[in-house]
Amino acid sequence: MLLDEDPATLILHTVNNFNIHGDKNALGRINDSLSTLQQARDLRLRDAEHALKKLSRQLATLENHHAETLSSHYSADHASQILALDTQKFRAAKAAADLEIEGERLEQELEGLKAKLSELEDQGIEGGEGERGRRELEDETLLRLKIYRSLGIDLESDRAGSYTKAVIRNNQKGDVHVVNMDPKFSRYFYANYFWQTI
């Protein structure tokens, strides 16, 4: 046998005598440094891509603005713009004239309404003489209708406002009489008939 000791023991002693922990730590630090550098590189790359996209958008905007500026300086476009502005100016002038005419009409209407208000204020709350007479006539008619209804007589008017039919109820007898009132008979005839019926 060449070796006095067991080869496995020799290999184990050889491996133990090598100090590889320092190398392992160095390799770990190198890996960490490489990872940090890769992250920093990716971050710079993203920032550069973002800046490139922003500059591309600005370039597109400026190119569009440049193209619009060039197209607006053509003489034909300039003439059509002047024509359009003239049309707008004439429309605005016509609208102003129409509004002025409408303002004058409304002022006249306001004056008329002020005159009407003054007239109504002069008449007072009761109104003029004609209004008071009409109201008194209506009050008289309403009072008569209330009296007739309290006696059991309902009067019905036609479309012209004349009373042409009377419905007479007699609650004591349980009778109902309908009387068509004809102008050829006098009011006294109907009054006597109504009294006899009720």
Side-chain angles (χ1 to χ4, degrees):
M1 187 161 176
L2 293 174
L3 298 174
D4 293 337
E5 294 183 15
D6 184 28
T9 306
L10 285 173
I11 293 173
L12 182 64
H13 285 301
T14 305
V15 168
N16 286 337
N17 287 332
F18 282 112
N19 187 6
I20 61 172
H21 293 296
D23 294 337
K24 280 184 176 180
N25 289 337
L27 286 173
R29 286 192 303 273
I30 290 170
N31 281 336
D32 289 344
S33 296
L34 285 174
S35 175
T36 304
L37 285 173
Q38 183 64 35
Q39 289 175 356
R41 183 174 175 241
D42 291 343
L43 184 62
R44 285 176 58 195
L45 184 62
R46 278 198 303 271
D47 288 344
E49 288 175 351
H50 180 68
L52 180 62
K53 287 180 183 177
K54 184 176 178 182
L55 289 172
S56 297
R57 284 195 299 269
Q58 286 180 350
L59 177 63
T61 303
L62 289 173
E63 284 177 347
N64 288 337
H65 186 267
H66 179 68
E68 288 176 3
T69 304
L70 288 178
S71 65
S72 66
H73 281 80
Y74 291 125
S75 60
D77 291 342
H78 186 65
S80 65
Q81 285 180 356
I82 290 176
L83 183 62
L85 290 174
D86 282 345
T87 304
Q88 288 179 359
K89 181 177 80 171
F90 289 128
R91 284 183 185 158
K94 183 180 183 308
D98 291 345
L99 288 174
E100 187 176 345
I101 292 170
E102 180 68 12
E104 290 175 0
R105 186 190 67 78
L106 289 174
E107 282 180 6
Q108 291 175 354
E109 187 175 337
L110 177 64
E111 291 299 322
L113 290 173
K114 283 181 180 177
K116 182 77 172 172
L117 176 64
S118 174
E119 180 183 331
L120 290 174
E121 285 176 349
D122 290 344
Q123 290 178 0
I125 297 174
E126 295 292 322
E129 292 296 324
E131 182 67 21
R132 260 188 249 123
R134 184 180 68 79
R135 249 194 325 240
E136 288 173 1
L137 183 61
E138 283 181 2
D139 291 344
E140 181 182 334
T141 305
L142 289 174
L143 183 61
R144 283 184 185 173
L145 288 174
K146 285 182 182 177
I147 292 172
Y148 288 146
R149 284 195 184 120
S150 68
L151 294 174
I153 302 170
D154 289 329
L155 298 176
E156 295 180 7
S157 61
D158 60 5
R159 290 182 183 173
S162 302
Y163 296 101
T164 57
K165 187 186 287 186
V167 179
I168 306 167
R169 293 178 180 82
N170 188 337
N171 292 333
Q172 295 173 350
K173 297 180 184 177
D175 289 342
V176 175
H177 294 278
V178 178
V179 178
N180 289 324
M181 296 168 53
D182 195 343
K184 66 182 178 181
F185 295 111
S186 69
R187 294 168 63 185
Y188 298 109
F189 169 78
Y190 286 114
N192 288 333
Y193 181 76
F194 291 163
W195 280 114
Q196 289 171 3
T197 307
I198 55 173

